[in-house]
Amino acid sequence: MFQFYFDGKLLGFSALEKGDPPMGCAEGNFIPCDEFIIFRDNVPAEEKGEYDDCTNRWIGLTVTTGEGVQIECHDVVLFEYELPDEVELYVDVLGMHHHLYEELFPGRYAAYAASFS
């Protein structure tokens, strides 16, 4: 599992089960830990714009591997969607270099290319 931090505090985890290899993006469901509640209550979300229909969106997080190695990327975005019966949390890691992407997610490039065959 990948670990997500803000200001050095662990907010939660994700398997980053989906992705867009050519864009260097990986995304997945976000599993919060207790620190997320403090973060949510104290860190203002980005102002709403035309970009999305999510309830809240935070940028500027960092992500590490399960071994604690920080992953170099353009940005990490955390989304919160308030649905009628639940709250859904989703995280998106943007702009990883293709060599790092293939190392972290072996076979995703091949699967992506095969989807067009």
Side-chain angles (χ1 to χ4, degrees):
M1 292 288 266
F2 296 90
Q3 303 169 347
F4 294 84
Y5 294 84
F6 185 81
D7 199 23
K9 295 182 174 117
L10 177 64
L11 300 181
F13 308 89
S14 177
L16 297 176
E17 60 272 11
K18 300 176 187 172
D20 183 345
M23 296 296 291
C25 298
E27 61 264 350
N29 293 316
F30 182 78
I31 303 161
C33 58
D34 292 342
E35 189 68 34
F36 174 73
I37 301 300
I38 297 167
F39 166 81
R40 186 185 186 284
D41 291 344
N42 292 292
V43 176
E46 230 182 12
E47 285 191 35
K48 291 198 183 293
E50 298 176 23
Y51 59 83
D52 211 4
D53 62 350
C54 66
T55 305
N56 289 306
R57 174 182 153 148
W58 294 274
I59 59 174
L61 284 75
T62 57
V63 58
T64 68
T65 64
E67 294 78 30
V69 177
Q70 186 168 338
I71 297 171
E72 290 185 39
C73 62
H74 178 69
D75 206 354
V76 178
V77 184
L78 176 58
F79 299 91
E80 177 183 57
Y81 295 90
E82 287 188 31
L83 306 172
D85 297 329
E86 65 181 312
V87 173
E88 182 178 306
L89 298 168
Y90 198 77
V91 68
D92 201 350
V93 178
L94 308 172
M96 287 178 268
H97 189 274
H98 68 277
H99 294 297
L100 176 61
Y101 195 94
E102 184 61 24
E103 180 183 322
L104 294 171
F105 308 104
R108 280 198 191 173
Y109 272 108
Y112 177 83
S115 72
F116 293 101
S117 300

